[in-house]
Amino acid sequence: MIPLLVGALLSLVALSFVLYPLLFDSKSVSVLHQERAEPQRNPALEALREIEFDRETGKLSDADYSALKTEYTQRAVAVMRAGDNPVCPNCGPRPERDAAFCSNCGAALTVKD
């Protein structure tokens, strides 16, 4: 009888160990979903991929490809340079993308447009 009780107790402990994160720790689950979120999209980069594909499949002439590639490359570079890094009113642009406050002075950060 004692081995049966010990086995049941160990089973309950193991089951609670497995189910605890699913039932009580929803904050860590939402953090995992945020980390897996899609990175920031750059429409110009997507357009570059599309015109490359269209050229390879014969839907786009070399002259059109050249003109479109130049235009979308300039747009992609502009978007990458602008970024969405926060700006501190006292210290200037900060490297922390998800920060709400400056790591130097503690001032509230704003996102540069």
Side-chain angles (χ1 to χ4, degrees), residues 42-61:
N42 185 339
L45 282 177
E46 292 175 11
L48 281 169
R49 289 185 190 108
E50 285 292 320
I51 64 170
E52 183 70 32
F53 177 76
D54 288 345
R55 180 174 161 239
E56 289 177 8
T57 57
K59 295 180 182 178
L60 199 59
S61 70

Side-chain angles (χ1 to χ4, degrees), residues 1-8:
M1 184 71 169
I2 291 178
L4 183 63
L5 291 175
V6 171

Side-chain angles (χ1 to χ4, degrees), residues 1-39:
M1 184 71 169
I2 291 178
L4 183 63
L5 291 175
V6 171
L9 182 64
L10 287 175
S11 298
L12 288 174
V13 169
L15 185 63
S16 64
F17 180 76
V18 170
L19 293 179
Y20 180 79
L22 297 174
L23 299 176
F24 298 107
D25 198 11
S26 63
K27 185 176 181 181
S28 66
V29 173
S30 66
V31 169
L32 285 175
H33 287 294
Q34 288 174 353
E35 289 175 0
R36 292 182 188 161
E38 189 174 312

Side-chain angles (χ1 to χ4, degrees), residues 80-104:
M80 285 182 204
R81 284 187 180 153
D84 62 346
N85 285 349
V87 177
C88 174
N90 302 326
C91 306
R94 304 301 306 152
E96 306 91 7
R97 286 185 175 248
D98 58 347
F101 298 97
C102 179
S103 58
N104 274 349

